[in-house]
Amino acid sequence: MNKLEFKNLINKKVLILDGATGTELQKYNFLEGVSTPEELNIKFPERIRKIYASYIDAGSDVILANTFGANKLKLAQHNLDTKIEDIIYAGVNIAKKEAARTGAFVAGDISSLGGYLYPLGNISFETAYETFKQQAKILTDAKVDLIIIETMTEIKELKAAVLAVKEICADIPVITQMTFTGEGVSVTGTDVLSFIAMAESLEVDGLGMNCSVGPKDLLTLAKFTAENTNLPISFKPNAGMPQFINRKTVFPGTPEEFLNYSLQAYNCGVNMLGGCCGTTPEYIKLLSENLKNKNPIKRNVVKHHLLSSRTKAIDLNLLKKPIRIGERINPTGRKILQAELSQNVFGLVKSEARKQVQNGADILDVNMGLPGADEAKLITNAVNEIQEIVNVPLSLDSSFADALEAACRNCAGKPLINSVNGETEKLEKILPIAKKYGASIIVLTVDEKGIPKTCEERLKIAEKILFYADKFGVKRNEIFFDYLTLSVSSSAGQVEETLNAIKQSKQKYPECKTILGVSNISFGLPSRQTINSTFLKMAVSAGLDAAICNPNADWTIDDEYARDLLNGKDENAKKYIEKYSGVTKKPVAENKILSPKERFFNAIINGDKDYIKPLVEEILKEDNNPLMISNDLILKALNIVGEKFNSKEYFLPQVIMSAEASQLAFSYIKPLLKKEKKSVAGKVVMATVQGDVHDIGKNIVCAVLESFGFEVVDLGKNVDKETIVAKAKEIGADIIGLSALMTTTMVEMENVINLKKALNINAKIMVGGAPVTKEFAQSIGADGYSKDAIDAAKLASELVKR
């Protein structure tokens, strides 16, 4: 099935998807004898065939092949990576044989790699891309009908997967699904609108949500999605949130309740419906009996122009004009910033990013044009640093195609590209990048002949740009025309040409936006901001949509002398210069000079690793008290991080960055603390229990515990009780931390507790993980339960005092 065939099909009828695979396999004990569900394809194919058959018989139009974790990184954990082709081919072929009975479609299933991409984790974008590309290649060679990328929590990983699939087979339909909490955000902070922005920009064929929550909560998100995208929408909730009752996993939902919310989702415009964890063929049969082959419901969708970051999408159509693009992340003429960047240090870059956002920037322009530097590497690193500390979208500013592509790949959202111009060679290099990554783009109306003097010449170049945009498939509503800002001191008549070009552009190309870099207008004149601000007001009146400017400046000024100058009524700027040449700048209130301790405290909160070492050294020179640094600075700063996390001001990326900054600081003071023979916190043994191979959450807990000054021994995942208890005894652990992500492995926590008690080990036990609850922790005799990494650190601090 190609994209057009899928589009025609989904426009005609609702598709019934399948239900849960993992919980069905567990129910029948089909996971016995294998190290991972995908191994069933080659070791016990009859088991997985029965699951496929049950959903085909229940009425599924689409079934997922058993390839969820069939990627090189995950299979390598079980020494199965050399069998990846056999596993994928077998899974697809078994599914196709069952699907052939009813004419159902088989989807290749792609999901997470089991770790986060840099800077949240250690997986590089290119490693993720190549891993997904290998999986997609085998799936398409096995002739799946479509590919579903599901249960994704990290938008950048999703981006790598989509790009990889499109690289392998541009014409295979791709459906993307993310996993959200009931509040409508992923664990890494991505909201539904940001997900929509990314999915639409990469031109997937459908999007939706699966897993995590029950049908009631997912319905709320589905309604929002239906109001904000024209793409086909999939809806695959769990059968409620799993509960652990009498040592068994129980999903509290019923097929009837599931059907009720699914029907409501259908009535909102959802046109692909199925189930996730806890759902069974009975659930799918009810869906099929009530919805199979029904016509989709038409939707009324809000018309957007979205840009996005990891955690925020902005609709440019709704923003107050002018949209402000902060220009301050640019090393041109800034020696201190150049010196930092030459050492790959981004402290000033991050400081400028925060300040501009605080002062109202809607978008941040990122320019890393440093002479002699590897610009592709530098802008990639800058993007990775900036996008985790602010929530606004980024404008990627470079004239080099390789740098723009590298930045686009690593941008965790839908960016704006700045810039291209009317030169044919540049159009042919950069427009395909904008198309591939779904970016909006700024185009300057200059060409090989140089800067055009008249409005008509600039509009003629705009026509050429649109011709090439149409040629490469860049949508016109993604284009920002820059009709050029020239200095009024040297090109007085050009102000009128620029403003006329903006007015005429809005009439000729209403779908395109207009933008100017404002500050050039005042070059060589006194009181520059007076001119800049007045000119911006005139440009907005002419129809300007966006301005590249310094958001830290005063943009309320509207000056009659500046207007006369800009309107050509002040020859040679005579009156303006006479008015302002002797005017000194108003004294700007200086920022309070922070002490090293205050700067260090802020660096921990903001996750600024670049300045940690020099600040620790500076503090120790003033006050040689490493314990004070730990207790009064690091721990108190992390408490604020915890408060920000609980209030949803911070998400997982910011927590990880703060934890890494504090870990770095602690690594410098740890030797000094040992010399003083003072214990900062305590010793912790951490492990994911036997039978469970998930460790992302546990790894984050380890990082945060270390940042709170605990000595942590991480035993990894799938660790038996004997190893855990023996290590606790060996190091004299104060705490044993246990993690589980599956309800089927939670029971192993009690086995660890019982063995600890039998051997009379004094360590306290704390437990956590997605299915674990406070009630379960109490029922097995654990000393405490934590819902997340920050909570775990607070709990550990309390447990060592008991």
Side-chain angles (χ1 to χ4, degrees):
M1 179 164 57
N2 60 34
K3 287 178 177 288
L4 181 59
E5 291 168 338
F6 175 80
K7 184 177 180 179
N8 291 336
L9 178 69
I10 202 68
N11 284 338
K12 291 177 182 177
K13 68 175 188 177
V14 168
L15 291 180
I16 306 300
L17 308 177
D18 59 8
T21 298
T23 49
E24 285 293 280
L25 292 172
Q26 292 167 359
K27 181 169 73 178
Y28 295 111
N29 295 318
F30 281 176
L31 293 175
E32 288 185 2
V34 293
S35 56
T36 181
E38 291 76 23
E39 193 179 9
L40 290 170
N41 300 347
I42 56 175
K43 196 169 183 180
F44 300 111
E46 182 59 22
R47 296 181 187 176
I48 196 65
R49 187 202 67 77
K50 287 182 178 178
I51 304 298
Y52 293 151
S54 67
Y55 287 121
I56 291 293
D57 293 339
S60 290
D61 296 309
V62 180
I63 57 170
L64 282 163
N66 185 34
T67 59
F68 180 90
N71 63 68
K72 181 173 63 177
L73 295 186
K74 274 193 169 180
L75 292 178
Q77 297 170 3
H78 311 285
N79 297 316
L80 290 170
D81 49 313
T82 58
K83 297 182 179 180
I84 184 170
E85 289 193 16
D86 295 338
I87 287 171
I88 293 177
Y89 269 100
V92 172
N93 288 336
I94 298 164
K96 289 175 73 171
K97 285 179 183 177
E98 287 301 320
R101 294 193 286 113
T102 63
F105 299 102
V106 173
D109 190 4
I110 292 177
S111 191
S112 171
L113 303 176
Y116 288 127
L117 271 62
Y118 181 82
L120 303 189
N122 296 320
I123 302 174
S124 71
F125 184 91
E126 296 309 321
T127 296
Y129 175 80
E130 291 299 330
T131 303
F132 287 128
K133 187 175 175 181
Q134 179 190 34
Q135 186 180 11
K137 175 72 164 59
I138 302 169
L139 285 168
T140 53
D141 287 348
K143 300 194 180 334
V144 294
D145 298 298
L146 66 156
I147 286 178
I148 295 180
I149 303 167
E150 65 163 345
T151 325
M152 288 294 204
T153 61
E154 209 269 275
I155 196 75
K156 194 171 170 184
E157 183 180 29
L158 176 63
K159 184 176 191 174
V162 173
L163 289 172
V165 172
K166 289 167 71 74
E167 174 79 12
I168 286 299
C169 183
D171 203 31
I172 193 168
V174 181
I175 313 297
T176 61
Q177 295 176 163
M178 284 196 75
T179 294
F180 296 96
T181 66
E183 286 123 1
V185 293
S186 75
V187 295
T188 56
T190 297
D191 63 3
V192 177
L193 193 59
S194 298
F195 168 50
I196 291 171
M198 170 66 77
E200 288 185 339
S201 71
L202 295 180
E203 298 186 333
V204 300
D205 302 281
L207 57 81
M209 293 136 276
N210 76 295
C211 202
S212 186
V213 295
K216 181 179 180 181
D217 287 331
L218 207 65
L219 174 63
T220 303
L221 306 185
K223 285 180 177 178
F224 178 84
T225 304
E227 292 166 357
N228 288 281
T229 184
N230 283 308
L231 287 173
I233 300 169
S234 61
F235 180 78
K236 291 193 77 177
N238 289 343
M241 292 301 292
Q243 299 174 3
F244 200 70
I245 302 173
N246 296 326
R247 302 296 183 266
K248 288 185 178 180
T249 302
V250 176
F251 285 86
T254 66
E256 292 73 24
E257 177 189 32
F258 183 86
L259 176 64
N260 174 40
Y261 288 113
S262 295
L263 289 173
Q264 292 183 59
Y266 163 74
N267 287 325
C268 293
V270 172
N271 41 3
M272 295 179 282
L273 299 103
C276 206
C277 302
T279 60
T280 67
E282 183 182 0
Y283 287 69
I284 302 307
K285 185 177 181 182
L286 274 177
L287 282 181
S288 180
E289 290 172 349
N290 285 272
L291 291 173
K292 195 176 182 74
N293 293 325
K294 277 203 168 187
N295 294 326
I297 300 293
K298 291 185 178 179
R299 297 181 239 145
N300 293 318
V301 177
V302 176
K303 189 176 181 180
H304 292 303
H305 182 179
L306 299 176
L307 294 180
S308 66
S309 64
R310 179 192 296 282
T311 59
K312 181 182 179 181
I314 59 172
D315 185 352
L316 301 181
N317 293 337
L318 297 180
L319 289 184
K320 180 182 177 182
K321 302 297 188 293
I323 300 161
R324 294 188 183 182
I325 302 175
E327 67 182 4
R328 297 283 298 162
I329 303 174
N330 188 328
T332 304
R334 302 174 66 186
K335 291 183 179 180
I336 297 176
L337 180 55
Q338 289 177 4
E340 280 203 358
L341 292 176
S342 67
Q343 300 298 316
N344 205 40
V345 172
F346 295 90
L348 274 178
V349 165
K350 289 187 284 188
S351 176
E352 284 285 10
R354 289 193 192 94
K355 187 176 180 181
Q356 290 183 96
V357 172
Q358 288 166 1
N359 287 325
D362 302 300
I363 301 165
L364 292 182
D365 192 69
V366 182
N367 184 313
M368 291 288 114
L370 186 66
D374 181 343
E375 191 167 329
K377 181 178 179 181
L378 203 57
I379 195 169
T380 297
N381 290 343
V383 165
N384 281 329
E385 294 283 349
I386 295 165
Q387 67 188 355
E388 305 307 339
I389 63 164
V390 294
N391 64 358
V392 300
L394 300 183
S395 168
L396 310 173
D397 189 351
S398 177
S399 57
F400 297 102
D402 63 333
L404 286 172
E405 179 148 25
C408 283
R409 288 172 82 79
N410 282 274
C411 185
K414 178 187 175 183
L416 174 65
I417 286 177
N418 179 21
S419 59
V420 68
N421 60 36
E423 295 176 21
T424 301
E425 183 181 356
K426 289 197 173 182
L427 289 169
E428 290 180 337
K429 283 183 177 180
I430 295 176
L431 286 177
I433 295 172
K435 170 65 175 176
K436 180 177 181 179
Y437 296 98
S440 292
I441 187 166
I442 296 171
V443 286
L444 284 81
T445 52
V446 298
D447 60 12
E448 293 88 347
K449 298 176 183 177
I451 297 174
K453 295 189 182 303
T454 67
C455 161
E456 290 72 25
E457 288 174 309
R458 294 174 199 182
L459 289 168
K460 188 174 180 180
I461 294 172
E463 284 281 358
K464 174 185 176 181
I465 291 166
L466 288 178
F467 170 80
Y468 277 92
D470 293 342
K471 175 183 175 181
F472 290 110
V474 176
K475 296 176 183 176
R476 293 191 172 199
N477 65 352
E478 300 288 1
I479 293 174
F480 288 72
F481 280 123
D482 185 334
Y483 287 106
L484 312 178
T485 306
L486 303 178
S487 171
V488 69
S489 63
S490 59
S491 307
Q494 290 300 304
V495 174
E496 183 179 3
E497 299 296 332
T498 297
L499 297 180
N500 282 339
I502 292 171
K503 292 175 186 176
Q504 292 188 39
S505 182
K506 300 303 287 186
Q507 295 172 353
K508 294 185 71 173
Y509 320 119
E511 64 270 60
C512 301
K513 289 184 168 54
T514 55
I515 189 170
L516 291 174
V518 177
S519 59
N520 287 344
I521 194 72
S522 61
F523 183 77
L525 291 168
S527 190
R528 292 190 62 181
Q529 187 56 26
T530 301
I531 300 172
N532 294 345
S533 179
T534 303
F535 173 64
L536 181 57
K537 292 184 185 304
M538 294 170 64
V540 170
S541 296
L544 186 73
D545 293 296
I548 302 172
C549 60
N550 178 2
N552 309 328
D554 181 1
W555 294 98
T556 64
I557 304 168
D558 190 352
D559 182 81
E560 60 177 315
Y561 287 89
R563 276 190 176 262
D564 285 346
L565 171 62
L566 293 164
N567 285 324
K569 298 178 181 179
D570 181 8
E571 189 175 354
N572 297 321
K574 209 169 181 183
K575 294 179 182 178
Y576 182 84
I577 293 173
E578 184 180 334
K579 169 73 175 176
Y580 286 106
S581 62
V583 176
T584 57
K585 290 183 180 179
K586 291 181 181 180
V588 178
E590 292 185 8
N591 292 328
K592 177 188 173 185
I593 299 175
L594 301 179
S595 70
K597 290 179 183 178
E598 290 172 319
R599 283 183 283 144
F600 176 82
F601 188 79
N602 290 336
I604 297 294
I605 292 173
N606 294 325
D608 283 340
K609 293 187 288 185
D610 293 324
Y611 298 139
I612 292 295
K613 184 178 181 181
L615 284 171
V616 169
E617 291 172 347
E618 199 170 348
I619 293 168
L620 288 174
K621 283 181 182 178
E622 290 183 1
D623 183 357
N624 189 19
N625 187 345
L627 195 59
M628 176 276 298
I629 295 177
S630 175
N631 292 347
D632 293 347
L633 299 178
I634 296 177
L635 296 185
K636 288 181 180 178
L638 287 171
N639 284 334
I640 292 177
V641 171
E643 292 169 6
K644 289 177 178 287
F645 181 71
N646 290 331
S647 67
K648 299 294 188 289
E649 181 181 348
Y650 271 15
F651 292 96
L652 192 57
Q654 289 85 6
V655 171
I656 291 174
M657 292 176 70
S658 292
E660 289 177 345
S662 54
Q663 278 181 295
L664 182 62
F666 196 72
S667 71
Y668 296 129
I669 64 172
K670 198 171 183 180
L672 301 174
L673 292 166
K674 286 182 178 178
K675 288 179 184 178
E676 296 183 3
K677 298 182 179 179
K678 292 180 179 178
S679 174
V680 177
K683 296 180 180 180
V684 183
V685 169
M686 286 291 299
T688 301
V689 295
Q690 189 170 23
D692 201 318
V693 296
H694 302 88
D695 67 351
I696 294 179
K698 183 262 299 169
N699 292 344
I700 294 167
V701 171
C702 288
V704 174
L705 285 175
E706 287 183 346
S707 70
F708 270 77
F710 287 91
E711 181 181 327
V712 180
V713 176
D714 182 4
L715 297 178
K717 55 197 172 187
N718 192 21
V719 186
D720 60 72
K721 59 183 182 293
E722 291 83 7
T723 301
I724 295 170
V725 174
K727 179 55 72 172
K729 182 179 180 180
E730 176 191 333
I731 70 167
D734 300 289
I735 298 170
I736 296 173
L738 303 175
S739 173
L741 198 65
M742 300 187 296
T743 53
T744 51
T745 58
M746 287 164 57
V747 290
E748 186 62 25
M749 291 178 167
E750 186 174 23
N751 295 334
V752 177
I753 292 172
N754 291 338
L755 181 60
K756 180 199 81 102
K757 290 179 179 177
L759 296 178
N760 200 28
I761 305 296
N762 291 325
K764 299 288 193 300
I765 299 271
M766 66 179 195
V767 298
V772 180
T773 63
K774 185 176 182 179
E775 293 72 26
F776 171 73
Q778 292 172 344
S779 73
I780 63 174
D783 297 290
Y785 154 78
S786 61
K787 66 181 185 298
D788 54 54
I790 292 292
D791 196 43
K794 292 178 180 177
L795 173 61
S797 299
E798 293 171 5
L799 290 178
V800 294
K801 296 174 184 177
R802 292 183 188 175

